[in-house]
Amino acid sequence: MNITVVASGIPSTQYPINGIFEFGQAKALADTGHKVTFLAFDFRPINIKRKHGVIRQTIDGIETYTLSIPTGIYRRCLPLLQYLALKMFRKIEAEQGRQDIINAHFYSIGAICGKIPLKTGARLVVTEHSSKLNKPLAEISPLDRSVAVKAYKNASAVIAVSKTLADRLKENFNISAVIIGDMVDYEVFSKVNLASHNGFNILSVGRLIKGKGMDKLIKAFHLFSKSTPDTNLTIIGSGAEQENLHTLCANLGIADKVKFIGSADHSVIAKHLSQSNVFALLSESETFGVSYAEALTAGVPVIATRCGGPEGFIDNTNGVLVNQYNCIDETSEAFSKISSGALSFKEEEIRKSALNFSPHTIAEKIISTFQQVLQ
């Protein structure tokens, strides 16, 4: 089977997390013995420095193609981008052979690839991760609704990364999605050795945007640190809220206890997990929550909000689910219970709960879906 995986980015030295999940999945699919090509549509604004044009590379044995155009508002020029996508796909077929499956990640990329099945023999499968669609239809913007409809119209199958998201797609778009969770970088995170260390260390990984709840996490940490002085919070990620979060830490008097790392690749995250007692992320909405799964794979217990995705795999054997409306107090209390030993978890059980997210397991499920589409 020849498969083209399509995403909105590809990892690089300059941007290590750009398209990292999609590319990781492409490598896992290739490991099952199928030929995989990776196509990235990089439509980030012009102020994001990188090469423009068509870029072809071989990365980790995967033939990759990038179309880099600084459009910024790509959803509003969809017909042009659909034309360019078809041209890129024909280029791939000319150089890599006839493609059986085009697997587009996220509805925006699915819409861009939406004309390809009509012009070629390839079948389109859209893998949906987007939190923008994980809400009641009335709360989804008209533009996003329109793009989603175009993404799914010519798709032979839609994959949703959680039951919550699948339920929303059925409710909002009458789409019966196949549920297949995201995968983690098992090679990296399963080999994390939890090391002894001083103090009680809390780790969080996520974009520094309002929807990730980093401000709430900092406030919960502040409450907890009042009674537990030898504790630290490390936050890995970057985003528009970074300055506000630094100011919040200063105002609360905990700037010396909260460390901001910025964006980091999996090896750096794994290193910090090895020194962590607990992982916490208080998102408002997650369709899955890869960073939670990475922590579990490393054997680190998780504190997560009930926000859509984590409920599918976090329970009392591997972590704590807290309520959105009272997450600051509940998270602070969970920190206290874990640090005092009143609440404990077995590393073996935590790691066992993450086996379903191994690349081999997820890739086999995806390949099975592709095979059904081609029957």
Side-chain angles (χ1 to χ4, degrees), residues 25-42:
Q25 191 173 103
K27 291 195 292 183
L29 294 174
D31 287 342
T32 65
H34 299 278
K35 183 178 179 181
V36 177
T37 303
F38 193 86
L39 172 59
F41 292 124
D42 189 345

Side-chain angles (χ1 to χ4, degrees), residues 25-337:
Q25 191 173 103
K27 291 195 292 183
L29 294 174
D31 287 342
T32 65
H34 299 278
K35 183 178 179 181
V36 177
T37 303
F38 193 86
L39 172 59
F41 292 124
D42 189 345
F43 300 138
R44 290 175 294 171
I46 196 167
N47 61 308
I48 307 296
K49 294 182 179 179
R50 80 277 191 191
K51 291 183 179 179
H52 296 144
V54 176
I55 304 156
R56 181 180 171 184
Q57 306 171 81
T58 302
I59 304 175
D60 295 340
I62 303 289
E63 296 300 320
T64 72
Y65 296 75
T66 301
L67 176 62
S68 179
I69 304 174
T71 66
I73 53 170
Y74 60 89
R75 292 178 302 173
R76 298 183 186 276
C77 49
L78 186 56
L80 172 60
L81 298 181
Q82 287 177 329
Y83 168 77
L84 294 174
L86 181 60
K87 291 202 68 172
M88 288 297 297
F89 188 74
R90 291 201 185 281
K91 178 178 176 63
I92 288 171
E93 289 206 312
E95 297 177 1
Q96 304 299 330
R98 181 182 179 277
Q99 300 297 294
D100 301 298
I101 295 288
I102 180 163
N103 181 203
H105 286 261
F106 292 92
Y107 67 100
S108 53
I109 299 298
I112 291 169
C113 296
K115 298 292 186 181
I116 294 175
L118 302 178
K119 303 292 184 178
T120 72
R123 302 293 181 88
L124 173 64
V125 176
V126 178
T127 299
E128 193 55 77
H129 315 247
S130 182
S131 295
K132 288 185 177 181
L133 305 184
N134 192 26
K135 59 183 72 173
L137 187 63
E139 297 179 16
I140 301 173
S141 74
L143 177 58
D144 284 318
R145 286 186 228 167
S146 173
V147 173
V149 168
K150 292 172 183 176
Y152 307 143
K153 181 179 180 181
N154 297 319
S156 296
V158 176
I159 296 172
V161 296
S162 69
K163 183 180 184 303
T164 300
L165 181 57
D167 290 343
R168 284 295 191 192
L169 295 180
K170 182 65 176 178
E171 174 187 336
N172 293 338
F173 303 101
N174 196 30
I175 295 294
S176 296
V178 180
I179 302 170
I180 303 176
D182 276 330
M183 64 177 62
V184 301
D185 190 340
Y186 210 73
E187 182 68 19
V188 171
F189 293 105
S190 68
K191 293 182 179 179
V192 169
N193 292 316
L194 301 183
S196 58
H197 54 268
N198 296 324
F200 186 80
N201 296 337
I202 301 164
L203 178 67
S204 188
V205 179
R207 289 176 296 159
L208 305 188
I209 58 175
K210 291 183 179 179
K212 291 295 182 180
M214 292 295 184
D215 56 335
K216 296 175 183 177
L217 176 59
I218 289 170
K219 291 174 183 177
F221 172 76
H222 173 240
L223 288 178
F224 166 63
S225 65
K226 289 180 179 179
S227 58
T228 311
D230 192 12
T231 185
N232 299 280
L233 170 62
T234 299
I235 297 175
I236 298 178
S238 60
E241 286 296 298
Q242 182 167 327
E243 184 176 343
N244 291 336
L245 295 174
H246 278 281
T247 300
L248 176 62
C249 291
N251 291 340
L252 294 175
I254 56 172
D256 59 328
K257 292 179 174 291
V258 182
K259 186 176 182 180
F260 292 87
I261 302 297
S263 295
D265 62 19
H266 286 169
S267 63
V268 174
I269 296 171
K271 182 179 179 181
H272 283 280
L273 281 169
S274 72
Q275 300 286 327
S276 298
N277 297 89
V278 64
F279 177 93
L281 181 61
L282 307 182
S283 295
E284 293 178 4
S285 177
E286 292 282 356
T287 54
F288 179 72
V290 172
S291 58
Y292 301 119
E294 290 170 346
L296 297 179
T297 304
V300 178
V302 164
I303 298 174
T305 40
R306 291 184 173 88
C307 59
E311 295 96 313
F313 55 90
I314 296 175
D315 56 33
N316 58 13
T317 68
N318 58 18
V320 178
L321 289 169
V322 299
N323 294 305
Q324 289 276 359
Y325 67 89
N326 197 33
C327 65
I328 295 174
D329 290 336
E330 291 185 21
T331 300
S332 176
E333 182 181 357
F335 288 154
S336 296
K337 287 182 177 180

